[in-house]
Amino acid sequence: MTELQGIIGFEGLGINAWMVWVLPFVGAALIPAIAKVGNRLRNYAAVGFALASAIFAATLIPLGIEGGQVHSQINWIPILNIHAGILADSLSIFMTNIVAWISFLIFIYSVGYMHGDKDLTRYWFFMLFFIGSMQLIVFSDNLLMLFFGWEGVGLASFALIGFWYHDRKRDFVGTPGHYAGGIQMWASPSHAGLKAFLMTKAGDIMMLSGMFLIFGYAGTFGFTELIQDQSWATEMANNNLLVPAAVLIFGGAIGKSAQFPLNEWLLEAMTGPTPVSALIHAATMVKAGVFLVARIGPLFFAISALNSSQFFEVVAWIGGITAFLLATQAMVNPEIKKVLAYSTGSQIGLMVMALGIAGLSTSFVDGYTAGLFHLMSHAMFKASLFMGAGAVLHAVGSRFMTDMGGLRSKMKKTFIFMMMAGLSLAAAPFITLGFWSKDAILASVLESGYQYSWALFAIAVMVSFMTAFYTFRMLGMTFFGDKSKFIQETESSHHVHEVGAVMWVPFAILAIASIAIGLIGFGFEHQLHEMFSAYLANSFGIQSTVSVEQEIQSKGGSEFLSFVGLNPVAVIASFSAFALGAILGGLVYMKRAINPEIVSRSIISRAVWKFFINRWYLNTALYWGAVIGPLAIFRIVWRYFESTIIDGINPGLQGTMTYFSRVIKAGQTGIAQTYLFVFAAGVLIIIMLLFL
């Protein structure tokens, strides 16, 4: 393993890295003061701070491509020898530019979408605070500093998901009146914000436990220090604590990235403004968990004392289960933003599965690159889709796709760009970024050599099929067919029209980029593979153990396919999944050749549909197990223990003490002769007892 390149203090490119996350915090602090000068200046200032942060992030790109690293530290907690520092390496530079530039486009979009909202100062404050916290996560060189950003993201998400805290019914998500197992399946903004905050805290507690468990043995939170001296890992492994510590830290990622079983908050986070949804689901909060796994995964893989397969199996299977679970729900949901929310959790499951399979593979870099490649492609097309969905909501005035239909003639630009981004989500072969990143995941699973790779591969293929289906379903219900009854009834007072350029240009840029980069996808993936290969080798000493001949053989013996990074089985599976999903979704929801109500004609298909629409009853189990059940137990304890026993003992004890006090009080007459008489009688009794 080579030494870090370009280790410097607070100077040179180190300043640029610090400024990427410091500037948004500075902007958040100044926004209330700027708002007093003028609302327009406040809006421009917020966008300006996001742009400045993105420019500083871009200045680091050459360093990341070259494989260089900047490690800058300052004293933080001297008594514990803890430093605050930034680590700008290929991973963090890759991630920071995704966060910075997509956030900047979302900020521009927000100017149009949030125009006229009376609470824009609060909105801009938390949006800047959000991206500052996310960038702090990305650049932190130690777990403790990362955790501060981690909690900052959680606080901002709580404030932004519940931004419209007045809880107007138009801001709810879910269908009013829909119950599953006695639990309501719709949520207000304030409820959804609190739910997100509390559920992610469950993961945060696990993460904090794992962090301090490691600190107790290593005496440091620093990533570079942990890999340089591995004696702590040996001691923890001898005490059977290393794998539990790794899994506990992964628990934080499960919460933040909404992986099973802490996935339910993500589905109701749609109560926030659409730009918030785009930010959370594309570049910030839910990607924080994936980034955490990408940051700690190589560390635990490189530690010789750890049997890493146990940890990475947990990661891979959690990702696979989540991907399948949420894809099934996306196929039946009637709300456009919730379909995209389910899709986000599902696609993140694929990323997590790829990062998990990396640790179970003979070539760690393949799964690692695939997971991060899909993180990038998903950030682009999903941000575009969310902003496009926001444009549709803005124009139609309803969140339900059943209230849409026939919008492609009224919103041509939105239709074209959502179609482009949707094709990338569905992984249209060879022309979209989503195809190459998803194909890389399928190939990494196939070539991993993991005992149960076939099962994970089957899950990934089924998820790919469902993704294509629900994508074409969403696009078909929104843009194809006749105008809905809702549009016809509201057309006289609410004319459906295309949104302004300040809204459609940002998601157009991302949609076009997802196709443009897709056209050179195999070359782009190769460059990422080279960059992360160098990063893993230089920082962790992780080398691929697969020879060129073995790689060619694993890809079917074709030197050409090996050169362009294609696995024939993965390509065929990916193409077939897209074709079947797209054809079925197109026939039912675009061409309208098949009536979707056919599902209700069979008792089996109707039961499956109900199971999916009720979210596998996981939300119901969550409320019964974590809210209603404990409250019922507390009521029983109060009624039969506190109210009966404790409250019954208290009056008895009080009465006894009152009686004794009266007895004692009766002897306190205040007459001296009485006291002398009692004293003399007592002396005589003692004397008599002594002579007996």
Side-chain angles (χ1 to χ4, degrees):
M1 181 173 63
T2 61
E3 295 294 327
L4 292 178
Q5 302 175 39
I7 301 179
I8 60 176
F10 194 67
E11 59 185 24
L13 283 178
I15 295 178
N16 295 29
W18 283 94
M19 294 303 290
V20 171
W21 67 269
V22 169
L23 273 176
F25 284 128
V26 172
L30 293 178
I31 279 295
I34 296 173
K36 294 185 180 297
V37 178
N39 290 340
R40 181 172 295 182
L41 179 62
R42 172 201 60 196
N43 298 345
Y44 292 159
V47 175
F49 277 109
L51 175 60
S53 176
I55 291 172
F56 275 111
T59 62
L60 301 170
I61 292 176
L63 179 71
I65 294 175
E66 294 167 2
Q69 296 184 357
V70 170
H71 191 191
S72 173
Q73 289 185 326
I74 58 175
N75 286 328
W76 185 15
I77 310 175
I79 194 171
L80 295 176
N81 194 30
I82 295 176
H83 299 87
I86 58 97
L87 182 60
D89 52 21
S90 296
L91 173 63
S92 58
I93 293 170
F94 170 80
M95 188 71 186
T96 190
N97 278 280
I98 294 172
V99 174
W101 287 105
I102 291 180
S103 297
F104 167 63
L105 291 174
I106 292 172
F107 269 54
I108 294 175
Y109 175 87
S110 296
V111 173
Y113 190 91
M114 298 298 291
H115 178 71
D117 195 290
K118 65 178 181 177
D119 293 320
L120 265 176
T121 300
R122 176 163 55 90
Y123 174 83
W124 288 124
F125 171 85
F126 280 111
M127 288 288 277
L128 285 166
F129 187 86
F130 208 145
I131 63 172
S133 299
M134 184 64 194
Q135 296 288 23
L136 176 58
I137 291 173
V138 171
F139 277 113
S140 293
D141 75 335
N142 65 85
L143 282 166
L144 185 61
M145 187 172 166
L146 182 149
F147 192 76
F148 274 82
W150 198 263
E151 292 304 292
V153 164
L155 174 62
S157 67
F158 162 71
L160 289 170
I161 291 170
F163 180 75
W164 287 316
Y165 60 87
H166 293 290
D167 288 349
R168 298 167 297 188
K169 288 190 177 180
R170 69 182 187 184
D171 299 324
F172 283 32
V173 295
T175 305
H178 177 199
Y179 288 87
I183 302 299
Q184 72 175 48
M185 301 295 280
W186 71 97
S188 66
S190 59
H191 179 91
L194 186 61
K195 183 175 182 178
F197 187 78
L198 292 176
M199 287 197 71
T200 55
K201 284 295 160 288
D204 295 353
I205 291 170
M206 289 190 285
M207 178 180 173
L208 200 61
S209 302
M211 284 168 46
F212 280 104
L213 194 59
I214 289 176
F215 182 79
Y217 282 87
T220 181
F221 292 106
F223 298 122
T224 56
E225 291 84 355
L226 288 171
I227 193 63
Q228 287 169 358
D229 181 6
Q230 299 182 18
S231 58
W232 61 274
T234 303
E235 189 176 356
M236 289 187 72
N238 292 336
N239 293 321
N240 296 317
L241 290 174
L242 194 52
V243 171
V247 173
L248 283 171
I249 293 177
F250 176 59
I254 291 174
K256 277 290 187 289
S257 287
Q259 298 296 282
F260 177 80
L262 299 178
N263 57 280
E264 288 300 318
W265 70 265
L266 185 70
L267 315 175
E268 292 169 1
M270 298 299 98
T271 55
T274 298
V276 172
S277 303
L279 194 63
I280 290 176
H281 290 254
T284 55
M285 184 166 172
V286 294
K287 297 292 172 61
V290 181
F291 175 80
L292 177 64
V293 177
R295 178 59 86 188
I296 66 169
L299 170 67
F300 287 115
F301 184 80
I303 293 173
S304 57
L306 173 66
N307 179 9
S308 59
S309 62
Q310 297 172 329
F311 167 66
F312 285 105
E313 275 193 292
V314 172
V315 174
W317 281 102
I318 288 291
I321 291 169
T322 307
F324 181 82
L325 173 74
L326 296 185
T328 59
Q329 298 174 48
M331 292 194 300
V332 299
N333 200 273
E335 296 177 62
I336 188 168
K337 283 176 65 177
K338 287 193 75 173
V339 169
L340 293 174
Y342 286 114
S343 173
T344 294
S346 178
Q347 297 302 304
I348 287 175
L350 291 179
M351 300 171 209
V352 172
M353 183 176 73
L355 294 174
I357 208 69
L360 301 169
S361 173
T362 52
S363 180
F364 185 90
V365 68
D366 289 348
Y368 193 79
T369 301
L372 291 173
F373 186 21
H374 198 54
L375 182 153
M376 186 201 77
S377 67
H378 177 266
M380 293 173 64
F381 62 67
K382 188 54 65 69
S384 181
L385 284 168
F386 262 110
M387 288 189 278
V392 172
L393 295 177
H394 208 267
V396 176
S398 173
R399 63 184 183 271
F400 294 99
M401 293 184 292
T402 50
D403 291 336
M404 300 173 189
L407 295 179
R408 58 179 171 165
S409 60
K410 299 287 186 179
M411 304 181 71
K412 294 180 181 178
K413 295 185 183 70
T414 300
F415 165 67
I416 291 170
F417 297 126
M418 282 194 72
M419 196 72 189
M420 293 169 70
L423 286 172
S424 198
L425 170 60
F430 306 114
I431 62 168
T432 63
L433 191 58
F435 166 77
W436 295 105
S437 60
K438 200 170 292 184
D439 177 76
I441 292 175
L442 293 174
S444 67
V445 173
L446 272 179
E447 298 162 14
S448 65
Y450 172 51
Q451 182 181 2
Y452 300 107
S453 61
W454 60 271
L456 288 174
F457 180 77
I459 289 173
V461 172
M462 286 189 287
V463 169
S464 298
F465 159 75
M466 289 186 284
T467 302
F469 174 79
Y470 67 65
T471 301
F472 278 79
R473 171 180 177 266
M474 176 189 69
L475 294 171
M477 292 181 71
T478 304
F479 294 105
F480 288 78
D482 299 325
K483 289 187 292 188
S484 68
K485 185 180 294 185
F486 177 84
I487 293 178
Q488 294 174 17
E489 292 174 351
T490 59
E491 204 165 18
S492 58
S493 59
H494 186 84
H495 179 64
V496 176
H497 61 279
E498 186 62 86
V499 293
V502 73
M503 288 179 64
W504 68 259
V505 168
F507 64 80
I509 292 172
L510 292 171
I512 293 170
S514 69
I515 300 296
I517 301 176
L519 294 174
I520 57 167
F522 67 91
F524 190 84
E525 180 188 350
H526 178 72
Q527 291 299 319
L528 282 182
H529 195 280
E530 291 296 314
M531 183 178 76
F532 287 123
S533 292
Y535 162 69
L536 293 170
N538 293 337
S539 298
F540 301 96
I542 299 175
Q543 304 284 350
S544 175
T545 58
V546 179
S547 66
V548 175
E549 291 77 11
Q550 289 174 317
E551 188 174 355
I552 292 173
Q553 187 177 5
S554 70
K555 295 177 186 294
S558 169
E559 294 187 21
F560 173 74
L561 289 177
S562 178
F563 173 74
V564 298
L566 291 177
N567 181 301
V569 177
V571 171
I572 293 170
S574 182
F575 183 89
S576 301
F578 168 79
L580 290 174
I583 291 171
L584 183 59
L587 285 174
V588 177
Y589 296 102
M590 288 183 174
K591 197 170 181 61
R592 310 290 171 114
I594 302 174
N595 189 342
E597 293 181 2
I598 193 174
V599 172
S600 63
R601 298 173 188 171
S602 166
I603 188 172
I604 297 176
S605 60
R606 187 166 64 247
V608 172
W609 178 89
K610 184 178 180 181
F611 185 67
F612 290 163
I613 200 70
N614 287 334
R615 292 152 60 168
W616 288 43
Y617 294 93
L618 292 175
N619 191 59
T620 302
L622 170 69
Y623 277 91
W624 278 104
V627 181
I628 297 174
L631 284 176
I633 293 172
F634 295 152
R635 290 191 187 100
I636 292 172
V637 170
W638 175 82
R639 181 174 180 180
Y640 295 104
F641 182 73
E642 293 214 15
S643 182
T644 303
I645 299 176
I646 300 299
D647 290 351
I649 290 174
N650 286 341
L653 183 62
Q654 179 185 355
T656 303
M657 296 306 295
T658 301
Y659 174 77
F660 278 113
S661 69
R662 288 174 180 170
V663 172
I664 294 172
K665 182 180 178 181
Q668 305 300 313
T669 62
I671 302 172
Q673 291 89 336
T674 303
Y675 296 153
L676 289 171
F677 174 78
V678 172
F679 177 75
V683 171
L684 289 173
I685 291 172
I686 292 172
I687 292 172
M688 291 174 63
L689 290 172
L690 291 173
F691 282 100
L692 287 176

